[in-house]
Amino acid sequence: FWAAKWNTYTGISFVLILSLVVSIFIILKSSKNTSSNISYSMALTRDQGAEQSPIMHPNNTHLYYLKQSDEHPSHELWLKNIDTFVTKKVKIKGNISQIISVIEDGKANQTIIFYLDIWANNCGVYQDVLPPPEEPNQISQVTKKLFDCSDKRIKDIDYHADQNTFYYTAQPKNYWPNQIYAFDVKTKEHRIITQGQPKGWGHHSLDISPDGEKLLVMSTDSDYKTQLLSLNLLNYKITKGIKF
């Protein structure tokens, strides 16, 4: 009798322990999946002055950005290693108003920067070779002007490496609204992108998708409300997003 009773208690205990282990495993797994979906923002720079136009190097380690301060009102190019938190000033020949893109040239083992230079009444898009992150004081001697934009007021610009094409929003001088243009680096030709006729201020901010098939556009009407638009570059269909 006692042996049977003991076996019963042992069996119940085993089932309870097994249930507890399984429950703990499920809770831990659920907690892990939940935590992996949590999104958060993290400050990458905390220096004095205004920081803008951040572009990450393709190696996802070096962050390039522009900085202004009371001592240096003009834009300075800076580099930060987000793994070691080491920040360095990068010397470059031109005046950078906006960093457009940073790409890696594997054949030449170089890092290329594309930037917009708007100074006084001049406007140009340039290509330059960045110095190695370890030696940021080396000034490149191969600065190349890709196109002149003095006849327009550029609002925003992006570059797609595979297409070797710049997409930009601009206002022809003394003419509203802002339109979307493309510049093919190979053919050196500008063209206006087929788009819905903008109203008011027009299309001003944009971003090209990684596959180069769509543009995300911000467009502001005469009522000062801004509409997010997705412009398909294959069929020029426009999909409207949030308005604010």
Side-chain angles (χ1 to χ4, degrees), residues 215-235:
L215 287 175
L216 179 64
V217 182
M218 293 176 70
S219 185
T220 301
D221 291 339
S222 52
D223 60 359
Y224 300 106
K225 291 186 178 179
T226 299
Q227 178 90 57
L228 277 180
L229 304 171
S230 174
L231 172 60
N232 190 312
L233 296 173
L234 302 180
N235 56 20

Side-chain angles (χ1 to χ4, degrees), residues 22-36:
V22 172
S23 299
I24 292 174
F25 175 77
I26 293 173
I27 291 172
L28 289 175
K29 186 175 181 181
S30 175
S31 174
K32 184 178 180 181
N33 290 337
T34 303
S35 63
S36 65

